[in-house]
Amino acid sequence: MKSEELFNESKKFLPGGVDSPVRAYKPYPFFAERAKGSKIIDVDGKTYIDYCLAYGPMVLGHANPDVMADVILQLKNGSAYGVPTEKEIELAKMVVKKVPCADMVRFVNSGTEATMSAIRLARAATTRNKIVKFEGSYHGAHDYVLVKSGSGAMGLPDSPGVPEETTKNTILVPFNDEDVLLDLVKDHGDSIAAIIIEPIMGNIGFIPPKKGYLEFLRKLTSENDIILIFDEVITGFRIAEGGAQEYFGVTPDLVTFGKILGGGFPIGALAGKKELMEMIAPSGNVYQAGTFNGNPISVTAGLTTLKQLNHSFYSEMNLKGEKLRDGIRDVLVENDLNYQVAGLSSMFQVYLTEKEVWNYEDAKTAQIDKFTHYFQTLLNNGVFIPPAQFECCFLSLMHSDDDIQNTLEIIDKGMKTIKNL
């Protein structure tokens, strides 16, 4: 198998043979050669129905013709300039029009850069140091948020090389628990700069907020002069035109984006209220910079992508998501399994646990060993999902009814495989 040969070669030059740890799984990952629509094809010629979709960006499917045509045209005019372009203004206007909290935008290169910059801005605006994040949440691989979950106190670094001093101001709390936050803010509110939250936790599978929880957060932060940051790197432009803040009707102070915003190319963005955003250099003194900020290729792809995300798009994605999730539930009933099916719109995950999942501790009850067998069965039968229980799966506009029906038949095989393990 060529993928196996490439992986063995790759391990000589790339740590672990991959450029991101989520891409590694046993015995070896397949290597992609091309992708189109809902399918990804590996170097050995095998085709998979793709529900990973590059971990979320490819909401229109792979190689969308309009995106590719506009990117090719832009490439002919240059790939980077180091000076502003008109398209940056056009994309910023589109974000401002769609996103409730967005008065101004700063384009960066990744979700990690966006959340790092949002935290810096919140600390500058409040002259406070502490931030609150939620157990099991992921806000990129920078030091301030790379903190172990499962603790209600000050966090310890989740990776060697991150000094404890860096994370001593990062406080972890459980998701969907109002009482813990009330007590925390009561005792330490005057030292908390920001609460950063995935409004839907999408890096632990899929965990939605309980009814009223985001409203509670908005009220609590407003009353205590704490900046509320929504990390919508995953949910941004996926579940509604204005993201989760539009869907749930809760407006944060700042929001971060990535993935879909770049239409398949590297991008990130920080957006928010004008009085905060104008603190960023050069209009203010909060420093943020990047050689590829507002890169014309990514901006072009993002523009062409967002123009296609209208009301009919979201209606269609909701129907596709409901059909797939309902079908998975039917498979579970037929196999006498009480696992949890979670999701919204084009997002979904199956937790291999009988416990309802509302936070990180609930998610950890899932049977990871069984999930590995489930993943391998799907992969061997031509369905590719992220290879970890604690990732989210995604649908694209290009997933057909036949794709969904074939997937459900293969999921049934997967469930039968693990049923008696």
Side-chain angles (χ1 to χ4, degrees):
M1 300 293 284
K2 191 173 180 182
S3 282
E4 184 176 10
E5 294 173 5
L6 288 173
F7 184 59
N8 289 333
E9 183 72 3
S10 180
K11 285 188 292 184
K12 300 174 185 176
F13 303 100
L14 302 175
V18 293
D19 269 319
S20 182
V22 295
R23 301 175 191 173
Y25 55 85
K26 294 180 179 180
Y28 54 87
F30 72 80
F31 279 60
E33 181 175 271
R34 64 189 187 278
K36 180 70 175 176
S38 64
K39 310 298 195 303
I40 188 167
I41 300 93
D42 71 17
V43 291
D44 293 295
K46 184 173 181 178
T47 298
Y48 307 85
I49 306 173
D50 185 12
Y51 295 98
C52 181
L53 295 172
Y55 290 88
M58 314 310 301
V59 71
L60 295 175
H62 293 286
N64 176 266
D66 291 337
V67 173
M68 293 301 101
D70 287 350
V71 165
I72 289 169
L73 184 61
Q74 175 58 52
L75 276 169
K76 292 178 180 178
N77 292 324
S79 60
Y81 305 129
V83 297
T85 65
E86 186 176 353
K87 286 183 179 179
E88 292 173 66
I89 305 172
E90 188 178 350
L91 184 57
K93 283 182 177 179
M94 192 174 292
V95 172
V96 168
K97 182 179 179 180
K98 289 175 178 288
V99 178
C101 82
D103 294 332
M104 303 183 82
V105 185
R106 167 58 61 90
F107 293 115
V108 293
N109 298 288
S110 67
T112 289
E113 288 183 38
T115 58
M116 181 173 62
S117 301
I119 290 168
R120 181 182 301 158
L121 178 57
R123 283 173 164 158
T126 60
T127 65
R128 301 170 181 175
N129 291 328
K130 298 189 187 304
I131 61 167
V132 177
K133 71 179 288 284
F134 293 84
E135 295 174 358
S137 64
Y138 178 75
H139 303 294
H142 58 93
D143 290 0
Y144 292 133
V145 291
L146 201 62
V147 181
K148 286 184 178 179
S149 298
S151 170
M154 301 300 177
L156 292 175
D158 201 28
S159 171
V162 179
E164 290 186 22
E165 294 79 8
T166 304
T167 58
K168 68 180 182 181
N169 287 313
T170 302
I171 306 171
L172 294 171
V173 295
F175 191 58
N176 279 321
D177 190 323
E178 294 186 11
D179 292 338
V180 170
L181 266 178
L182 280 170
D183 291 341
L184 175 65
V185 171
K186 180 181 178 181
D187 294 336
H188 302 286
D190 59 357
S191 64
I192 297 172
I195 295 177
I196 184 168
I197 183 173
E198 293 177 273
I200 295 171
M201 292 183 69
N203 273 290
I204 189 65
F206 179 100
I207 305 179
K210 288 184 177 179
K211 186 176 181 179
Y213 188 67
L214 296 179
E215 292 85 348
F216 155 77
L217 274 180
R218 178 67 283 182
K219 184 173 184 292
L220 183 68
T221 51
S222 296
E223 290 175 348
N224 291 275
D225 297 320
I226 297 169
I227 304 295
L228 179 60
I229 305 169
F230 274 12
D231 179 348
E232 295 217 47
V233 169
I234 290 178
T235 56
F237 313 108
R238 178 168 286 281
I239 63 174
E241 282 194 68
Q245 59 187 272
E246 177 191 323
Y247 184 88
F248 292 109
V250 177
T251 304
D253 301 300
L254 296 171
V255 62
T256 59
F257 295 116
K259 298 190 185 288
I260 289 172
L261 181 63
F265 290 81
I267 203 170
L270 166 62
K273 297 179 179 179
K274 185 176 182 179
E275 59 267 29
L276 291 172
M277 295 300 294
E278 285 191 328
M279 295 179 67
I280 299 173
S283 60
N285 58 7
V286 178
Y287 195 73
Q288 197 290 321
T291 297
F292 290 100
N293 284 6
N295 176 262
I297 303 300
S298 298
V299 167
T300 296
L303 271 171
T304 308
T305 296
L306 293 195
K307 286 175 182 177
Q308 298 181 63
L309 307 187
N310 52 26
H311 178 74
S312 62
F313 165 82
Y314 291 103
S315 296
E316 184 170 349
M317 296 310 295
N318 287 338
L319 291 173
K320 289 179 189 288
E322 289 171 6
K323 181 175 182 178
L324 180 58
R325 289 187 296 273
D326 286 345
I328 295 172
R329 291 186 184 99
D330 290 342
V331 166
L332 294 176
V333 169
E334 291 168 6
N335 285 281
D336 196 28
L337 295 169
N338 192 29
Y339 295 146
Q340 306 301 308
V341 181
L344 175 70
S345 186
S346 56
M347 304 170 68
F348 71 97
Q349 182 56 291
V350 182
Y351 287 103
L352 303 187
T353 177
E354 295 189 357
K355 184 178 178 63
E356 282 193 84
V357 179
W358 289 107
N359 55 43
Y360 180 53
E361 291 299 321
D362 295 339
K364 287 201 302 182
T365 66
Q367 301 171 78
I368 295 174
D369 290 345
K370 284 190 175 183
F371 186 88
T372 300
H373 287 278
Y374 168 74
F375 163 76
Q376 289 291 347
T377 300
L378 267 58
L379 189 70
N380 292 339
N381 286 275
V383 171
F384 179 50
I385 61 173
Q389 170 71 96
F390 303 131
E391 290 285 350
C392 192
C393 305
F394 302 99
L395 281 151
S396 78
L397 185 64
M398 298 307 295
H399 282 84
S400 66
D401 288 343
D402 285 345
D403 286 335
I404 291 173
Q405 184 56 45
N406 291 338
T407 298
L408 291 172
E409 292 172 6
I410 293 167
I411 286 176
D412 182 55
K413 290 182 181 180
M415 291 302 170
K416 284 180 166 59
T417 299
I418 64 175
K419 185 175 181 180
N420 297 314
L421 290 177

